Amino acid sequence: MMFGRYTAEGIRDISAARTDKAEDLIKEAGGKVKDGYALLGDVDLVLITEFKNNEQAMKASVGLAQLLGIGFTTAPAMEVDDFDKLIG
């Protein structure tokens, strides 16, 4: 999960073309965008992404901040059923 917060710089150039560039950057880092949502509140965006490892996620997170001027907090997540199997 990638949680984004707009900066003053990042909110200026919102467009579908910029979204496409962001998805391309995530793919170049080895990831995939499964879904994305714009939100109201403390977090402006949430991207549901899939990466093979944390290094790829970190590369994408930093790259997105450089490209978009949006700060991202990235949190690894797993489905609850998988979590139950891992822990139980």
Side-chain angles (χ1 to χ4, degrees):
M1 306 283 289
M2 300 181 77
F3 302 95
R5 294 185 74 187
Y6 285 117
T7 62
E9 173 191 339
I11 204 163
R12 285 189 210 133
D13 297 322
I14 295 172
S15 70
R18 188 174 84 162
T19 300
D20 291 341
K21 288 180 184 178
E23 287 189 35
D24 290 343
L25 186 146
I26 289 170
K27 288 178 189 172
E28 289 171 15
K32 174 184 174 183
V33 177
K34 296 178 87 174
D35 221 337
Y37 299 92
L39 307 173
L40 295 173
D42 292 336
V43 176
D44 299 309
L45 299 167
V46 64
L47 301 177
I48 300 170
T49 56
E50 188 172 284
F51 292 96
K52 291 181 183 173
N53 55 51
N54 287 338
E55 289 81 8
Q56 289 178 340
M58 187 178 289
K59 183 176 180 179
S61 184
V62 171
L64 288 171
Q66 292 172 329
L67 175 69
L68 307 175
I70 298 172
F72 280 91
T73 301
T74 305
M78 67 172 41
E79 292 182 13
V80 173
D81 289 343
D82 293 335
F83 179 77
D84 289 343
K85 290 175 189 171
L86 177 71
I87 301 302

